[in-house]
Amino acid sequence: MLSVKDLNAWYDRSHILQGISLEVQAGEIVTLMGRNGAGKTTTLRTLMGLVPKKKGEASIDGKPFLNLAAHERYHLGLAYVPEDRRIVAGLTVKENLQLGIIAKKNTGDMNALVDEIAEIFPRLKERLHQEATSMSGGEQQMLAIARAMIGKPKVILLDEPSEGIMPVLVDEMFKLFSDLKQKGLTILLVEQSVKHALSISDRAYILDQGKIVFHDTAKNLLANDEIQQKYCAV
Ligand code: ATP
């Protein structure tokens, strides 16, 4: 599904990503782990075309996308939920959701798509007509994820979904990811909360100083305290 080969990226003259290769198969949740500054966010941003200086290969179902325009990536099935969520102030929850569909051609009935997604996110269903930025951080994060999903992407890149969210909502969110995985959603996840992330992931890659230094099944990594302490301490 998602294949990345020898990805390199630079901020000015700093060579941040130094040959990242990874695979995410259809229906998998794969986590990118590593200390602060290891290059996790930069990996997602580079895949989304937000880092201009880059080299390497990335494809979805064999179709290369690294040099495509944003809307072309979107049509290939790539969605991104950045750490800062980018919920639009002054719009309701429903209007924010609709923004996730507008870019798509032949979407059919917008209301039907909103209803469909609201069934998956009950917290949003109750708040469709509320101003989006009046919701809690966790609810806004759910909205950002729902807005990415409404375009029916093949792969979602999720950056730190639990950041700044109260623990009870984090548990709910990870349960939701697990349910979405059962429905076939494919996720590449960046997450500081290692235990949460590994508990729902199939596999994980560990990044250190812009390189993949380790990769294993989530089950093995959960049991591997040595690697967790070496590479995942904040
Ligand atoms: P964190 O969890 O702290 O976000 P991360 O693994 O996601 O960590 P990145 O944000 O990808 O790390 O950062 C990788 C490196 O790139 C760091 O050294 C960081 O200082 C640098 N960097 C990130 N963004 C920029 C930028 N816009 N300009 C210059 N350097 C940057």
Side-chain angles (χ1 to χ4, degrees):
M1 161 80 69
L2 173 66
S3 170
V4 177
K5 285 196 191 117
D6 198 21
L7 186 65
N8 286 264
W10 292 259
Y11 285 124
D12 294 322
R13 264 183 265 168
S14 306
H15 189 183
I16 306 290
L17 301 185
Q18 303 185 13
I20 304 284
S21 296
L22 57 87
E23 302 268 337
V24 184
Q25 303 300 334
E28 269 192 321
I29 299 182
V30 171
T31 296
L32 266 182
M33 296 169 18
R35 276 190 285 254
N36 283 342
K40 305 178 298 291
T41 296
T42 305
T43 303
L44 301 190
R45 287 176 46 89
T46 306
L47 293 176
M48 291 313 295
L50 300 170
V51 180
K53 206 170 160 197
K54 72 219 175 225
K55 205 176 78 184
E57 290 170 38
S59 59
I60 287 189
D61 293 336
K63 297 183 189 105
F65 65 80
L66 205 56
N67 295 308
L68 294 184
H71 71 278
E72 293 173 310
R73 267 165 229 261
Y74 179 75
H75 287 294
L76 260 189
L78 202 56
Y80 177 45
V81 183
E83 205 175 340
D84 63 10
R85 298 166 200 153
R86 309 217 185 120
I87 299 304
V88 182
L91 297 186
T92 64
V93 169
K94 183 172 178 177
E95 287 161 345
N96 265 278
L97 286 172
Q98 288 170 336
L99 288 179
I101 321 173
I102 284 166
K104 206 118 193 162
K105 288 175 196 144
N106 306 320
T107 46
D109 183 354
M110 239 192 214
N111 284 326
L113 282 170
V114 170
D115 290 346
E116 196 182 314
I117 208 84
E119 285 305 318
I120 304 172
F121 294 84
R123 274 177 189 274
L124 300 182
K125 190 176 175 183
E126 293 161 14
R127 295 172 173 79
L128 282 178
H129 303 289
Q130 185 173 331
E131 201 201 319
T133 49
S134 69
M135 295 195 300
S136 74
E139 289 159 359
Q140 290 188 46
Q141 183 63 276
M142 300 268 193
L143 174 57
I145 295 164
R147 190 178 56 191
M149 278 182 56
I150 205 166
K152 300 194 190 294
K154 289 184 179 163
V155 185
I156 294 196
L157 312 184
L158 268 179
D159 198 357
E160 299 278 5
S162 76
E163 176 79 14
I165 294 177
M166 53 185 183
V168 57
L169 260 187
V170 174
D171 290 342
E172 187 180 319
M173 190 181 299
F174 277 85
K175 164 84 174 56
L176 176 75
F177 294 156
S178 183
D179 293 346
L180 292 173
K181 175 181 155 58
Q182 301 306 324
K183 293 187 175 142
L185 190 70
T186 306
I187 303 176
L188 178 59
L189 176 68
V190 166
E191 179 56 57
Q192 288 287 353
S193 175
V194 168
K195 298 266 185 296
H196 268 114
L198 291 179
S199 69
I200 58 155
S201 294
D202 297 282
R203 295 183 297 111
Y205 292 86
I206 297 185
L207 260 172
D208 191 44
Q209 297 185 20
K211 295 183 180 134
I212 304 272
V213 289
F214 197 80
H215 131 247
D216 205 341
T217 62
K219 191 163 171 254
N220 286 347
L221 269 166
L222 257 179
N224 193 334
D225 285 338
E226 192 190 330
I227 287 284
Q228 281 186 44
Q229 277 172 15
K230 186 165 179 198
Y231 292 112
C232 301
V234 179

